[in-house]
Amino acid sequence: ERFIISSNNEEKKYIAHVKLMKSYFFLEMIDDMVKEASIVLDNDQTTGDRKSESHFIMGKGLMLQDHYDDALVHLSFVYKNNPGVLGAEAQYYVAKIYNIKGEYNTSENEIKKLVKTKQNYSNWVARALILESYNLIEKPNLFQAKATLKSVIENFKGNEDILEEANEALLIVEELLIEKSKETDVEN
């Protein structure tokens, strides 16, 4: 960072901040990535894809710092302005934030929009449907949660981590269904 401070060349300073932002993002150095993303976003040279990328990094960093409302602003900017995979990922995180905040209906609405508008990004659609199952658990609509997860497991081919996540969520749902049936048996 000393190079950035001592440089008189504004273009080089800007590029250095962009590279630091990306490096901190990949290294998961949350405070530093948020700081650099803020610097990049405040620069008039930041436009187009770089602006979306900077908002994404800022939003994800703020989410990881539990600054959910601020994160929503940045992530919403990305999914509204980026029709690609970055927009799909940002929309997933918007839905996830609403889930974390306990706003399950709003989370569901974001998931429906993602599934409808970003269907070409199957990894993010599958992750969103898994997240939907957690919304359904909270409602509680365990049978629909189970059906949603089974659909992901049966129809999604690709990323093994996503399938593992779906199977883990399905185990949770099945355990909850067993508990619920035991409660019903005790009542009868």
Side-chain angles (χ1 to χ4, degrees), residues 45 57 85:
Q45 296 178 65
I57 290 172
V85 68

Side-chain angles (χ1 to χ4, degrees), residues 15-180:
I15 296 300
H17 283 296
V18 169
K19 290 183 179 200
L20 276 172
M21 174 187 72
K22 290 178 181 183
S23 295
Y24 290 143
F25 176 75
F26 288 113
L27 293 170
E28 298 178 351
M29 297 173 67
I30 299 165
D31 293 340
D32 293 319
M33 75 187 207
V34 168
K35 176 184 157 204
E36 291 302 323
S38 178
I39 291 169
V40 172
L41 284 169
D42 285 342
N43 193 303
D44 292 337
Q45 296 178 65
T46 305
T47 59
D49 288 344
R50 184 166 290 153
K51 189 170 192 170
S52 285
E53 178 184 43
S54 301
H55 275 289
F56 179 81
I57 290 172
M58 175 72 95
K60 190 160 181 197
L62 290 167
M63 181 183 81
L64 293 170
Q65 293 175 329
D66 299 335
H67 299 295
Y68 300 124
D69 292 332
D70 294 332
L72 284 170
V73 171
H74 293 281
L75 294 168
S76 294
F77 174 89
V78 177
Y79 91 73
K80 290 175 183 173
N81 292 285
N82 187 311
V85 68
L86 193 64
E89 186 174 357
Q91 192 160 15
Y92 167 79
Y93 286 123
V94 166
K96 186 173 183 172
I97 288 170
Y98 284 120
N99 171 276
I100 291 167
K101 291 174 67 171
E103 297 178 31
Y104 306 114
N105 290 332
T106 306
S107 178
E108 275 186 72
N109 289 336
E110 292 298 328
I111 290 165
K112 286 176 186 172
K113 285 191 266 183
L114 189 156
V115 170
K116 183 177 180 183
T117 62
K118 309 283 195 223
Q119 66 263 15
N120 293 338
Y121 304 104
S122 60
N123 283 356
W124 293 108
V125 169
R127 288 180 195 269
L129 292 172
I130 295 166
L131 178 60
E132 175 66 7
S133 73
Y134 287 107
N135 289 330
L136 292 165
I137 288 169
E138 294 299 328
K139 288 204 158 188
N141 190 339
L142 298 176
F143 292 108
Q144 184 62 43
K146 183 177 180 177
T148 299
L149 291 166
K150 281 190 164 196
S151 176
V152 171
I153 293 165
E154 291 169 7
N155 297 308
F156 179 74
K157 306 294 181 239
N159 188 319
E160 288 300 316
D161 291 339
I162 294 172
L163 289 173
E164 185 177 321
E165 187 179 338
N167 279 304
E168 288 172 8
L170 183 58
L171 287 174
I172 292 168
V173 171
E174 288 174 342
E175 287 175 14
L176 290 170
L177 284 167
I178 290 168
E179 285 178 32
K180 189 174 182 177

